Structure formats: structure tokens, C-alpha cells
């Protein structure tokens, strides 16, 4: 089949970042023999820079083309600039898509603020089946940025968007999601979707390649920072922004100065809090907290080979269900200390791969760390469980479910 993927977000192949879900979709469809065009923005949400000066098609494999749609740019993740970029993308993709030969099927994920352009409208125009990927909860997330006293007004202003979303979801031929609550949210909007093809597809990671990088690039990290004998390293890797529990990690680093613990906290990444972490370390001469900055993916894998514990540390304001770092942490076979209350907390508890702590509570995080430090048997058991769970998140395992969904929808549409 000829399949269009439509989504203006995510790093594209060649941008030196972890594989984005739509890139993995394209790869899996190509491996199954289908031809794919992924329509995405020429402005990178992740890197905040333009990829091209206008329309551009990039052939990334014999089966996959990246189509860059010219849009506006923006500096901040929350603001009118981002909304306008999404609107520009949707309408330009729709207008160009109408002039193209019809695909056999469309898979899309777009903000409901664009009221069904381009994915839904192009599927209707070309009279082809359509699948929606429920990647997050919009416009619910957008509504939450308003102060509490403005919530009723925001809800009223967004009511047409909610109504349009219900209308579009009722027309879907299939739906997928990257977490169980997101799939249930789609069913709640359009109950008929329960009886149509649907799938839960976690983002996942190439587990074999990841573990190979851990093995082959451990020396890349060793040359930067040496692990002292007897130390236990607890790593946080990710964006250093307000959605993450960075101040709590810093406070735990301070408290570790005063004790006899062998734990050292390793922070890898970049973002607004990076300067606070470096300043904190410099002013205190703190040796229990090590900031290694933003690492290339291969070097980051090498870092994991030295670590004993992983931190899934999000602030209380975050409502992430299954963060991508969980796939890395489990592929690395690390016990996880987690603050999220969504689906990931159930996985960690039910699969016995880590411990929970209260976001924003340094005493609770410290106690969880000290418990894993003092109980080597528990730490080893959770590490083994984590590695086993990591196998189930392999992208080949996950995206076989996606390909099966696509082919099931296409077959049902034909009949």
C-alpha cells in the first residue's frame, strides 16, 4: 500500500536523537513492504530550528520519504506561536495533499485545534481509511495552562474544539495510543471505537542496538568521568525543565553530603534548570551530584552501563503516562525510582522493577535511594525484572502491532 503519515512533531531520521514514534512507524511499514510518505513540519519542535527553506522531500530509505511542509516557527512550547505553526502546517498539508494521487490509507496525529486538517480532511477528500494516533490529551492539556479561576471560561472557549473532536473521532476507521489511559480517553470520546480496530503501541526502543551501544560505548563515558570503587550511581537523563523534579534531585544531592551513603546522583541532559544544577555544584563543591550535560545517544548508552539505579523524576504537575526514558531504563536493566502517577507507576509496581516516591519530596526520594542501596538482593531482583520488561518494549515487538492494525483497517475498508 501507499500510506501517508501526518504529524508535524518529532525528530526525523538523521537528527541525532532517539527514534520518534512516526519514524518507527515508517520503518515498520517499509519493512512490511509498504511505501510511506511522512508529512511533517520543516520547523523542528524539538530543536527549534528550520530544516528547509520551503517544501522538500527527503528520501530516507527505498520505502520512506519525509515530506517537509513549510511552516512558521516559535521559541516557546506554550504560546500562540506553536498554535499558529500547527494551523499553518495543517492547511498547507491539506491543500498540497488534495493535489496528490490518493494514498491507500492515512495515519495521523494532530492537535484538535486544527479541527481535522490535514489528516482527517484528506482522508475524507480521497475517500480512504484513516487511523488516529492518540499521543496525548488535547485540548485537555492546553486547558490546564489557564489559572483555576479561568478554567470555566477556557472550557467554554474550547467547547467547539471538543465538539469537533467528537465528530472526527466518530469517523475514524481505527485508533491507536501509546498508553492505556490515552486509548481509553479516545473510547470515552467516541465509544464506537471500541468495536473498531484499535491497538496499544508503546514507543519502545531498539533493545538489541541499545544494549550493543551500552557495551561498545562504555569507554566513551569512562574517559569523561570515572566511577569510584564502591559507588552506586543513580542517573536522571532527560530535559531539565519545569516538568521534571530537578530541584528535588538537587536537594537530595545536598543531603547526601552529610551522610555515609555511597550513592552519587548523575544528571544528564539540557534545559532551563541546567544552569541551576551547575551553579549548585560549583557553589557547594558538591561531589554527590555530577552534571554531565547533554550527551550523544551512544555516549548516554555508555553511561547507563555504569549506573545502578535510574530516576524517572517528574514534577507533580506532569501527567505523562509512559515516558520514553522508561524504555531506555528497562533496556539497560536498571531499577527505577519513579514519581509519576500514571500507567508507568502501575507497571513499576506490578512488574517489581522499582520504587515509587512523592514528587517534590526529597526525603521520600532519599529514602527510596537508601533502601535500594542497603538491599543488594532487592536491587538485583529489580534489575533482572527491568531487563525482562525491557524486552517487551522492543520496537520490533511494538510496531508489529501497528502494522497489523494498519493492514486490518485497510482490509476491513476494502470489504
Amino acid at each position: 500500500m501507499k500510506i501517508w503519515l501526518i504529524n508535524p512533531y518529532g525528530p526525523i531520521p538523521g537528527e541525532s536523537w532517539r527514534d520518534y514514534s512516526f519514524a518507527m512507524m515508517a520503518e515498520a511499514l517499509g519493512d512490511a513492504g509498504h511505501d510511506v510518505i511522512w508529512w511533517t513540519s520543516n520547523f523542528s519542535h524539538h530543536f527549534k530550528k528550520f530544516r528547509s527553506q520551503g517544501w522538500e522531500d527527503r528520501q530516507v530509505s527505498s520505502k520512506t520519504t519525509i515530506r517537509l511542509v513549510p511552516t512558521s516557527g516559535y521559541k516557546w512550547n506554550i504560546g500562540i506561536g506553536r498554535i499558529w505553526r500547527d494551523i499553518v502546517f495543517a492547511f498547507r498539508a491539506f491543500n498540497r495533499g488534495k493535489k496528490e494521487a490518493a494514498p491507500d490509507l492515512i495515519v495521523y496525529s494532530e492537535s484538535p485545534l486544527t479541527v481535522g486538517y490535514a489528516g482527517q480532511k484528506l482522508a475524507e477528500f480521497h475517500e480512504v481509511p484513516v487511523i488516529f494516533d492518540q499521543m496525548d490529551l488535547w485540548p485537555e492539556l492546553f486547558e490546564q495552562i489557564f489559572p483555576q479561576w479561568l478554567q470555566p471560561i477556557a472550557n467554554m472557549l474550547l467547547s467547539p474544539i471538543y465538539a469537533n473532536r467528537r465528530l472526527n473521532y466518530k469517523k475514524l476507521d481505527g485508533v491507536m495510543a501509546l498508553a492505556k489511559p490515552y486509548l481509553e480517553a479516545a473510547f470515552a470520546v467516541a465509544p464506537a471505537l471500541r468495536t473498531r480496530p484499535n491497538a496499544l503501541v508503546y514507543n519502545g526502543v531498539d533493545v538489541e542496538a541499545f544494549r550493543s551501544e551500552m557495551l561498545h560505548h562504555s569507554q566513551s563515558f569512562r574517559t569523561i568521568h570515572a566511577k569510584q570503587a564502591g559507588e552506586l550511581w543513580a542517573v536522571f537523563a532527560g530535559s531539565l525543565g519545569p516538568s521534571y523534579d530537578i530541584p528535588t534531585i538537587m536537594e537530595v544531592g545536598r543531603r547526601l553530603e552529610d551522610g555515609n551513603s555511597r550513592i552519587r546522583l548523575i544528571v544528564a541532559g539540557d534545559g532551563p534548570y541546567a544552569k541551576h544544577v551547575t551553579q549548585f555544584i560549583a557553589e557547594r563543591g558538591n561531589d554527590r551530584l555530577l552534571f554531565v550535560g547533554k550527551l550523544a545517544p551512544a555516549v548516554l548508552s555508555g553511561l547507563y552501563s555504569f549506573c545502578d539505579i535510574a530516576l524517572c523524576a517528574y514534577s507533580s504537575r506532569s501527567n505523562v503516562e509512559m515516558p520514553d526514558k522508561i524504555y531506555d531504563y528497562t533496556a539497560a536493566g536498571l531499577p527505577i525510582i519513579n514519581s509519576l502517577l500514571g500507567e508507568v507507576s502501575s507497571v513499576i509496581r506490578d512488574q517489581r522493577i522499582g520504587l515509587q516516591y512523592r514528587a517534590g519530596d526529597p526525603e521520600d526520594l532519599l529514602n527510596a535511594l537508601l533502601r535500594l542501596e542497603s538491599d543488594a538482593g532487592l536491587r538485583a531482583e529489580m534489575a533482572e525484572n527491568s531487563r525482562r520488561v525491557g524486552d517487551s518494549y522492543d520496537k520490533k515487538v511494538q510496531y508489529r502491532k501497528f502494522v497489523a492494525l494498519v493492514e486490518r483497517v485497510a482490509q476491513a475498508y476494502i470489504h
Side-chain angles (χ1 to χ4, degrees), residues 75-202:
K75 291 183 179 181
W76 314 112
N77 285 351
I78 297 175
I80 298 299
R82 177 177 175 178
I83 295 172
W84 181 245
R85 191 289 300 258
D86 286 356
I87 292 172
V88 170
F89 168 83
F91 281 91
R92 284 184 176 168
F94 174 70
N95 289 327
R96 168 79 179 264
K98 288 193 300 182
K99 302 170 185 175
E100 300 281 329
D104 295 297
L105 183 141
I106 291 175
V107 181
Y108 79 99
S109 182
E110 298 171 331
S111 164
L113 297 177
T114 61
V115 296
Y117 291 88
Q120 188 71 37
K121 298 298 183 185
L122 281 173
E124 293 172 14
F125 178 86
H126 287 298
E127 298 182 340
V128 298
V130 60
I131 297 171
F132 181 71
D133 182 16
Q134 183 83 44
M135 299 182 72
D136 51 29
L137 299 179
W138 276 84
E140 288 87 347
L141 289 176
F142 184 72
E143 188 176 334
Q144 288 176 14
I145 70 172
F146 291 91
Q148 191 66 37
W149 63 275
L150 275 178
Q151 291 290 320
I153 297 175
N155 187 267
M156 181 182 67
L157 292 174
L158 291 170
S159 59
I161 303 297
Y162 282 113
N164 188 265
R165 182 179 67 174
R166 283 194 300 273
L167 182 64
N168 285 333
Y169 279 21
K170 289 176 182 178
K171 300 175 185 176
L172 294 174
D173 298 284
V175 63
M176 60 183 288
L178 55 75
K180 291 177 183 176
Y182 292 167
L183 193 58
E184 289 297 326
F187 294 157
V189 172
L193 288 174
R194 290 186 183 274
T195 63
R196 298 173 192 171
N198 60 79
L200 176 63
V201 182
Y202 296 109

Side-chain angles (χ1 to χ4, degrees), residues 7 12 20 22 70 79 147 183 188 191 252 258 272 288 311 313 324 348 351:
N7 178 1
I12 63 176
Y20 184 59
F22 271 64
L183 193 58
V252 170
D258 304 325
R288 294 293 87 197
L311 302 178
D324 285 348
I348 288 172
Q351 301 297 327

Side-chain angles (χ1 to χ4, degrees), residues 10-20 23 44 46-47 49 51 58 213 294-300:
I12 63 176
E15 288 188 332
S16 299
W17 202 254
R18 66 174 299 121
D19 289 341
Y20 184 59
S44 167
H46 192 87
F47 297 105
K49 65 180 183 180
R51 296 161 167 150
R58 295 184 184 176
E213 284 189 341
K294 182 179 178 181
L295 301 177
V299 180
L300 180 59

